[in-house]
Amino acid sequence: MNNMPKTHLIVGVEKHSIAHKLHIKAGDKVVSVNGEAINDIFDYRFLIADEFVTLEIEKSGGKKEIYDIEKNYEDDLGLEFGTSLMDEYHSCSNRCIFCFIDQMPPGMRETLYFKDDDSRLSFLQGNYITLTNMNDSDIDRIIRYRMEPINISVHTTDPDLRVSMLHNRRAGEVLGYIKRLADAEIVMNAQIVMCKGINDGEKLERTLADLMEYAPVLQSVSVVPAGLTKFREKLYPLKPVDRQSALQTIEIIERFQKRAMKKHGIHFCHASDELYLLAGLEMPEEERYDGYMQLENGVGMLRLLEEEYTSVLNESEDPGCISERHISLACGHSAYAYIRKFADMFVQRYGGRIDVYEIRNDFFGETITVSGLICGCDLIAQLKGKDLGDELLIPVNMLRAGEEYFLDDITISQLESETGTKITVVPGSGEGLFRALAGLEIKDYRRQIYEQTDSGDSRQA
């Protein structure tokens, strides 16, 4: 077994930084800080956050040097490393019965098949983790570094059922880590991917009751329906969530919300927008979302969008030159009624023509209705030859995070070429939607979010 401490290659040094003044260069390696080995960025950041730092460096020629550094507490050293984590991502060891990645067709971008289960990404980027690949020392480190909030994929608090759902023998026993984190007052959020007939109904009631014992440190729990694509051959035979099961789930959640408000002053648990849409119910009022803590999990996105959009629409002056403007929007089935309503509100106030196209998801299957999983091929197939007007607006969550590719690697330029229409990407805010409809300048739309997700769909709306 190799017991040599891990070293970290320096790929760059910021000019005029502490490291630059000490003549530390790209190609050198960090061996330790304050005598402690460095596993990743969290060790490094925690240990250099001091006024006196001892830095051990292995020079490119192999010689080791010690630097005793006196600095301001918050000063960075100016070192740059090859990856943002200074380590590899931790992959998922589960085989969840609802895993969306297992339902992807072959031949797609390699990164789309990577399953992470990394507590560091939970802290940095909001990803959800199952705790199954963690041990006591990992939990100790979260507590030591105050890595919060930590987002946990719970799904059920029944240990045996969790083992069955995640196909991991540790899935039940690691639920005890939630108590350790709560006792240390590490802020947490949780999610439940609801599978019809498996962890809903009475099972869901038990899970919510168990998790409420950790409130308000566990500050929110979202319940989202499992997303089922048409590529489920040889996978667990899950049934899609229908209106009746959505209604039942919402009734349970809203009952627990009342209990949580009385006991903790927060609503605590929340149904995703998709559940309300499946149930045919209006979205809850804004105050019931407790500050929208789980937007990226599809909880409250439509309510927040409506609140922001209505506010901007009511307060904005006439942008002018609208009466002759003809544009189109494309979205998934879930958001269609809302986007149609917003477009009508705009036309009634300012005039012009806005067509809204509800895109059917032929790529993944019609049961996938969120805009964030619409692929470029479906946009082309269903919009080519249509009179789309001056431009076509698409929501940013259709695109790969930070780039101009759809999930099937079709680019915005290809979509423009196939439809013969200018494409405008709309940020996920009410102001962004208003400015796009009015033809005003839009700020950078790109979102910096880690590409994949633990289980189902984090690209809601």
Side-chain angles (χ1 to χ4, degrees):
M1 181 178 293
N2 184 7
N3 292 318
M4 292 291 292
K6 183 188 295 186
T7 59
H8 299 274
L9 180 67
I10 298 168
V11 299
V13 177
E14 185 179 342
K15 284 188 177 180
H16 311 299
S17 66
I18 293 172
H20 184 256
K21 292 175 182 177
L22 293 172
H23 305 292
I24 298 172
K25 299 178 180 179
D28 295 344
K29 297 176 182 178
V30 174
V31 178
S32 68
V33 178
N34 299 337
E36 294 192 36
I38 303 298
N39 290 309
D40 57 28
I41 190 65
F42 293 100
D43 289 332
Y44 176 75
R45 291 294 176 200
F46 181 83
L47 291 168
I48 69 167
D50 206 341
E51 295 176 344
F52 299 95
V53 174
T54 299
L55 182 66
E56 183 180 5
I57 294 290
E58 181 182 310
K59 304 299 288 184
S60 57
K63 181 181 177 182
K64 292 184 179 179
E65 295 190 13
I66 302 294
Y67 300 86
D68 291 317
I69 300 168
E70 184 176 349
K71 64 181 185 65
N72 293 327
Y73 180 86
E74 69 279 1
D75 283 353
D76 187 32
L77 300 182
L79 299 179
E80 299 174 6
F81 302 96
T83 66
S84 59
L85 282 180
M86 296 176 65
D87 193 16
E88 296 180 352
Y89 295 123
H90 294 169
S91 61
C92 181
S93 58
N94 307 314
R95 291 184 296 112
C96 300
I97 60 174
F98 48 79
C99 181
F100 193 86
I101 297 172
D102 288 342
Q103 304 175 70
M104 302 274 278
M108 299 187 72
R109 188 168 54 248
E110 184 178 350
T111 55
L112 293 175
Y113 300 104
F114 177 76
K115 306 177 187 180
D116 87 83
D117 199 11
D118 199 315
S119 61
R120 300 166 300 180
L121 293 177
S122 177
F123 174 73
L124 288 173
Q125 300 175 343
N127 291 21
Y128 281 78
I129 58 172
T130 64
L131 304 174
T132 55
N133 71 351
M134 303 184 73
N135 55 38
D136 289 340
S137 63
D138 294 321
I139 300 300
D140 290 339
R141 211 161 72 107
I142 289 174
I143 294 170
R144 180 189 184 194
Y145 296 163
R146 306 302 302 180
M147 292 166 59
E148 55 186 348
I150 290 293
N151 299 322
I152 302 172
S153 288
V154 176
H155 310 312
T156 178
T157 54
D158 179 328
D160 293 335
L161 178 58
R162 195 167 194 260
V163 167
S164 175
M165 291 185 69
L166 273 60
H167 280 124
N168 188 311
R169 61 183 177 82
R170 297 192 68 233
E173 65 186 62
V174 297
L175 287 170
Y177 288 154
I178 298 176
K179 184 178 187 307
R180 281 197 59 196
L181 294 171
D183 288 345
E185 298 187 339
I186 297 294
V187 175
M188 294 174 283
N189 299 294
Q191 76 163 351
I192 298 168
V193 175
M194 196 267 279
C195 300
K196 183 180 177 182
I198 297 174
N199 62 339
D200 55 353
E202 293 181 359
K203 296 289 187 181
L204 176 61
E205 293 196 45
R206 169 184 169 167
T207 298
L208 293 177
D210 289 345
L211 293 178
M212 196 180 292
E213 294 298 314
Y214 304 122
V217 176
L218 176 55
Q219 61 184 357
S220 72
V221 179
S222 64
V223 182
V224 303
L228 308 180
T229 80
K230 64 184 182 182
F231 301 102
R232 288 196 59 84
E233 186 179 355
K234 297 181 181 179
L235 296 178
Y236 191 96
L238 291 177
K239 298 178 181 178
V241 176
D242 55 17
R243 183 173 186 271
Q244 188 58 42
S245 53
L247 283 168
Q248 180 194 43
T249 300
I250 290 170
E251 187 278 326
I252 292 171
I253 291 170
E254 292 186 344
R255 182 156 31 91
F256 272 88
Q257 285 181 337
K258 293 175 182 177
R259 289 170 53 182
M261 278 298 294
K262 288 181 180 179
K263 188 174 182 180
H264 301 293
I266 57 175
H267 291 88
F268 179 67
C269 53
H270 308 273
S272 69
D273 293 1
E274 192 172 1
L275 279 172
Y276 279 96
L277 292 169
L278 286 167
L281 299 177
E282 289 292 321
M283 298 294 159
E285 57 275 17
E286 186 172 30
E287 54 267 25
R288 282 172 55 195
Y289 286 106
D290 295 341
Y292 300 107
M293 288 180 285
Q294 297 221 22
L295 279 177
E296 282 298 325
N297 226 6
V299 177
M301 294 184 79
L302 290 174
R303 170 55 69 198
L304 179 60
L305 182 63
E306 181 167 15
E307 295 291 331
E308 291 178 340
Y309 176 77
T310 302
S311 176
V312 173
L313 183 70
N314 291 336
E315 295 173 4
S316 296
E317 298 179 359
D318 188 338
C321 304
I322 295 295
S323 59
E324 301 300 320
R325 180 170 163 80
H326 172 205
I327 61 174
S328 297
L329 294 93
C331 63
H333 170 75
S334 292
Y336 174 78
Y338 278 80
I339 300 301
R340 178 70 269 171
K341 178 171 70 172
F342 300 155
D344 290 343
M345 291 166 63
F346 188 93
V347 171
Q348 289 169 10
R349 187 176 181 108
Y350 297 121
R353 173 183 167 186
I354 302 176
D355 296 324
V356 182
Y357 290 91
E358 179 181 346
I359 304 301
R360 182 182 64 255
N361 199 322
D362 292 330
F363 186 89
F364 285 112
E366 292 186 40
T367 58
I368 301 298
T369 61
V370 294
S371 297
L373 291 171
I374 296 293
C375 290
C377 60
D378 284 336
L379 288 167
I380 292 171
Q382 295 173 47
L383 296 178
K384 191 172 184 178
K386 296 280 199 312
D387 179 11
L388 301 176
D390 304 314
E391 60 184 311
L392 170 67
L393 310 184
I394 61 170
V396 65
N397 62 352
M398 284 186 181
L399 299 175
R400 179 182 178 185
E403 299 188 21
E404 299 190 353
Y405 293 86
F406 296 90
L407 281 175
D408 57 352
D409 280 345
I410 287 177
T411 65
I412 291 176
S413 296
Q414 287 176 287
L415 181 60
E416 285 182 328
S417 176
E418 292 287 346
T419 61
T421 308
K422 174 188 174 184
I423 306 299
T424 297
V425 180
V426 182
S429 68
E431 180 182 4
L433 177 59
F434 174 82
R435 295 185 69 85
L437 294 176
L440 301 173
E441 181 181 359
I442 297 175
K443 297 177 182 178
D444 188 13
Y445 61 79
R446 290 174 175 81
R447 0 170 253 158
Q448 298 301 323
I449 299 173
Y450 191 62
E451 181 167 77
Q452 66 87 49
T453 177
D454 159 65
S455 53
D457 175 13
S458 68
R459 301 158 62 93
Q460 308 277 339

